[in-house]
Amino acid sequence: MARGGRSGACGIDPVDEEGPVADGTTTAPVAAAASADRRPPARGSDFLQLDVGDAPVGGKADWLARRLRQAMADGRLAVGSRLPPTRMLAAELHVSRGVVTEAYRRLAEDGHVEGRRRGGTVVVAAPPARPAAPRGAGPCRGPAPVPVDRAGPGAPFAGEPGADAFDALRAAPARIDLTPGRPDLTAFPRTAWLRAERAVLAELSAENLGYGDPRGAPRLRRAVAAWLATGRGIRVEPDEVLIVAGTAQALTLLSPVLRADGIDGVAIEDPGSLGTRQHLRNGALATPPVPVDDRGVRVDALRATGARAVLLTPAHQFPTGVVTSGERRRELLLWAGDGGLVLEDDYDAEHRYDRPPAAALRASSADVCYMGSVSKLLAPALRIGWMVPPPRHRDALVDAKRFTDLGNAVLPQLALARLMESGGLERHLHLLRGRHRRRRDAMIDAIAEHLPGAVVHGAAAGLHLTVTYAPEVPDTELAAAALARGVKCQPLSWHRQAPGRPGLVLGYAAPPRGAIAEGVATLGEALRELA
Amino acid sequence: MARGGRSGACGIDPVDEEGPVADGTTTAPVAAAASADRRPPARGSDFLQLDVGDAPVGGKADWLARRLRQAMADGRLAVGSRLPPTRMLAAELHVSRGVVTEAYRRLAEDGHVEGRRRGGTVVVAAPPARPAAPRGAGPCRGPAPVPVDRAGPGAPFAGEPGADAFDALRAAPARIDLTPGRPDLTAFPRTAWLRAERAVLAELSAENLGYGDPRGAPRLRRAVAAWLATGRGIRVEPDEVLIVAGTAQALTLLSPVLRADGIDGVAIEDPGSLGTRQHLRNGALATPPVPVDDRGVRVDALRATGARAVLLTPAHQFPTGVVTSGERRRELLLWAGDGGLVLEDDYDAEHRYDRPPAAALRASSADVCYMGSVSKLLAPALRIGWMVPPPRHRDALVDAKRFTDLGNAVLPQLALARLMESGGLERHLHLLRGRHRRRRDAMIDAIAEHLPGAVVHGAAAGLHLTVTYAPEVPDTELAAAALARGVKCQPLSWHRQAPGRPGLVLGYAAPPRGAIAEGVATLGEALRELA
């Protein structure tokens, strides 16, 4: 791929926004910038989450240029938007105006912005999230045929995936596990967790060992509220937080609540998580698909479904990795303002490698039902998550949680609260970011080597990437062949409702780099044999 | 109360079977005893579960008299029944006939039995579960009117209890908490739990921190299967055990599974747990009431409802404390054999003071869906329980558990497994039994002193007792008045569907003895003021 330049649907491309997985079309960012009338007003350093304290000594201009590139990459500075006037930004950041001018000059040199006299400095092309060395690119291929025959040699991939698809895949013996959704579990902070448990057991009152508040332990709700404010831009009172046993439970709690509110379906992203779709359908909700393009879910298509609710992964779309653009965010918030309900599944937003995390949608609207968990921060086995529902659904969700299990177990809640309060969770996240980034890079390297015709999507954040490949081989067949060779992964088609290009969803966070390289090499062998 | 004298509906009576709570009528024990025809045949030492190995050296007669008193107190030797002939019992126990004669003589001196020549030795009055000092007795009162006006000063008791009734009561400020359902939480084995957690964290593989088996950790399922075999007579494979987040969750998982099986209602005991009823109704199941008498649920009435399923607490009926008689067990198993489904809520069966625990119904039939938890063994805050469902519902329940939360949290499951394997849980239970028994005795003493007209039910086992009292005061009013004085308890009417005698359900396991005495004294004051 072209470093810092445009990248198309072919070649290795670790950028979310490039190479749309969903519909094969590409956007034309420069055209949008051509009309000055449509340009959003300049936004200041607050909106951009800039803090010059992060800048290295003597490297402020470089730092600022980098942060602005990140803001463009993740959509906070959409193509067509104006940068803040240099004088204003310099004042806000307490830096000299020369620092800002120099940063803007670098961006102009990169081709990302253009100076337009009275129009100010305008974003004309979003950069990729991380510079990557050029790699060999295979020939471009057309859209994939619909996989018809899914019956492969691996049983988990024979036929339509059932409710136990993930369990069956987990139970299948394999040498290397490249399924997505797990952080590096070898890094789980066992000592810190045990220390937190010890402190909790030492200080806990006997009453706290009884039946508790179904909304969760007050201390954890306070810690989560603080966590969401710091990391996700969501400012809520602890009483607005509901502790749940992960997002899977959140969806199950929501289903009857939504149905009671007259909502009989939840639109979902396509591609979008198979597990999410199964949960909603189990809750007797329809799941009309809405296509995802390189800016996120298509809000025009969402409106066309007539659905009153939509489930989204705006921070890092699953499985494509697209980060919802600023424009789409605004469209979504307009849709929500018209009475739509956004269910925001913020499953891995904290894992950013090449950019600061974009704020959650819930930060901009109380009409959003926010869901997060520690499954990708610490371990899925903890079964702790949280919801920040819209006020109108709060009481019904508390009732649903009470009936489901009377509330989460208390000891792990309090241990987690301590880990959040002490900064231990933040430190763990920092550690994970470094490890995950190295593993991601190892996977991208291995893909370039062993799957030369493949395109990588969504690698700028999260714990997984999606790779689309030469289309002749149905992905269930490829996944089955890989499993037969001892390598687990998920076929992209599991996560599709509409037909589309075949691919694999590969988790890079959990396995060590050697296993990643070996696993991807095995995928390459399997693909070559099948093709 | 009259020590060792006759006890009717008046006077302290810690016997389950006296003064049936269910239908507001009283039995006439002495009249029953007068008709020799209706006397049950004499039962031997097997039935009485006597083992002379328990007797102290040189104290066999005393020991035997004590055990027989216990058998009378807990209803195994009902008023009107014959004691075994002295010669037969002596032979069975391998003691001299003089020991038995002496024991019978003491019981006759106490007024519990009478010698009736060819009629043998007949029980004429059940003693309290433990000898208590004589106390002043109040006047006898007739059956209670139906409580009409439930609006008292305490908000939790104003109007029909809603889904948040227990939370509201828990949140209400109070000095002393006599609500039922919690063991002595100050005894929670914090050190042993932490040690188990440390061992778990030291040996756990990273994979075990990922998404797990929705049925529960295999190690805990093995430990629970062993626990159920030893303590509850249930012999099942670990794969037949499903780990859940307590019985509340078990009921919520069951509802859609039962409905899918064409079962639209679950008959429940009356009186019976309000929480259970709320859970089943939340699951869109009807809850036709079936009266409970002094032998357990009335199976004839169960058949009359036409219900295909019934939820029972056979080991220690909630709230009356009745232990299901052998005859009723047989009737229930016949009903189950005819296609009925018994949901067995074995919530506190391990807590026996004056008798060994009866085996679970599930031990006798795979058509029983068994549910248990650690809420009364260790702490409700752990949210760990288990189900042993009938084979035909197993897969659907696993699916329901998967959709609900993908399975319980793993670390606490493994810590509990270690506690079960090491014998730590058994030791804890032994410790609890001693503490609970002393607290129960303190409560019975306090009731005798401060609620002289009251009758105690169901104190031979469990963590709570039910007390019925002078009937003019609706129990919600009394509970509200007590709460206004800083003492929490539950009105018996919360747990009734049909009208019946007012009463209170009082937990004695969690509060210390001083608080119990003070709390019951406050109840007495409140009752005197209201009466």
Side-chain angles (χ1 to χ4, degrees), chain B residues 185-217:
Chain B
L185 296 171
T186 65
F188 182 81
R190 298 179 188 223
T191 308
W193 186 265
L194 186 66
R195 199 162 46 227
E197 284 260 18
R198 182 186 301 117
V200 167
L201 282 164
E203 74 192 3
L204 192 69
S205 77
E207 290 94 294
N208 278 329
L209 288 164
Y211 292 95
D213 190 325
R215 296 173 299 174

Side-chain angles (χ1 to χ4, degrees), chain A residues 167 190 201 204 252 402-403, chain B residues 167 190 201 252 402-403:
Chain A
D167 287 335
R190 298 179 189 224
L201 283 164
L204 191 71
T252 297
R402 181 190 293 113
F403 280 119
Chain B
D167 288 334
R190 298 179 188 223
L201 282 164
T252 296
R402 182 189 294 113
F403 280 118

Side-chain angles (χ1 to χ4, degrees), chain B residues 21 180 269-274 292 313 316-322 347 457-458 464-467 490-492 495-496 504-505:
Chain B
V21 176
E269 299 161 327
D270 190 22
S273 159
L274 167 64
V292 173
T313 48
H316 183 235
Q317 203 273 330
F318 187 90
T320 67
V322 169
Y347 67 107
H457 311 263
H464 74 275
L465 52 77
T466 290
V467 60
Q490 290 179 2
L492 177 55
H495 304 289
R496 285 187 189 284
L504 299 175
V505 186

Side-chain angles (χ1 to χ4, degrees), chain A residues 163-164 167 170 190 197 201 204 209-212 214 249 252 279 282 376 379-381 383 402-405 407 409-410, chain B residues 163-164 167 170 190 197 201 204 209-212 214 249 252 279 282 376 379-381 383 402-405 407 409-410:
Chain A
D164 64 346
D167 287 335
R170 187 166 45 248
R190 298 179 189 224
E197 284 260 16
L201 283 164
L204 191 71
L209 288 164
Y211 293 96
Q249 180 169 81
T252 297
H279 271 79
N282 181 63
K376 275 76 179 173
R383 308 309 310 129
R402 181 190 293 113
F403 280 119
T404 296
D405 53 21
V410 167
Chain B
D164 64 346
D167 288 334
R170 187 165 45 246
R190 298 179 188 223
E197 284 260 18
L201 282 164
L204 192 69
L209 288 164
Y211 292 95
Q249 179 169 81
T252 296
H279 270 78
N282 179 65
K376 276 75 179 172
R383 309 309 309 131
R402 182 189 294 113
F403 280 118
T404 296
D405 53 20
V410 166

Side-chain angles (χ1 to χ4, degrees), chain B residues 130 319 340 380 388:
Chain B
R130 63 182 276 278
V388 182

